[in-house]
């Protein structure tokens, strides 16, 4: 029931990880979008997911807020200390 295990199941279904998985970041929920995007990116990266689509979370915001969300997700994927669980 852990979110990392649920993502791993999706990765395994992609021909045992040979097909990269990019998950959706979900709909824009308001003020918590930045925190939710970072949390989802960490879960996905730890599960072996290759990327996160954050279109609605970032592009339905002001330019400054949207860029902050995109940069935060990029920082998660660039951080070498966040590894597969």
């Amino acid at each position: 029931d852990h979110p990392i295990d649920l993502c791993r199941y999706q990765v395994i279904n992609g021909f045992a990880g040979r097909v990269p998985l990019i998950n959706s970041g979900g709909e824009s929920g308001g003020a918590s979008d930045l925190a939710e995007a970072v949390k989802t990116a960490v879960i996905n990266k730890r599960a072996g997911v290759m990327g996160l689509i954050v279109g609605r979370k970032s592009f339905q915001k002001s330019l400054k807020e949207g860029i902050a969300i995109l940069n935060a997700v990029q920082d998660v994927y660039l951080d070498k200390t966040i590894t597969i669980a």
Side-chain angles (χ1 to χ4, degrees):
D1 291 334
H2 196 279
I4 292 175
D5 291 333
L6 296 173
C7 285
R8 281 185 181 149
Y9 181 72
Q10 291 176 307
V11 170
I12 289 170
N13 279 327
F15 298 100
R18 290 189 300 268
V19 175
L21 176 66
I22 299 176
N23 275 341
S24 171
E27 65 186 355
S28 179
S32 63
D33 283 344
L34 176 62
E36 289 175 12
V38 170
K39 177 182 175 183
T40 303
V42 170
I43 290 169
N44 284 346
K45 184 174 180 187
R46 297 201 71 205
V49 177
M50 302 303 288
L52 179 65
I53 300 167
V54 289
R56 289 181 285 173
K57 284 198 182 307
S58 58
F59 299 129
Q60 291 180 353
K61 302 281 184 193
S62 69
L63 183 62
K64 184 177 179 180
E65 289 177 307
I67 289 172
I69 291 171
L70 293 172
N71 286 340
V73 170
Q74 287 174 328
D75 290 344
V76 168
Y77 280 94
L78 292 172
D79 188 341
K80 294 186 186 300
T81 63
I82 301 172
T83 60
I84 293 182

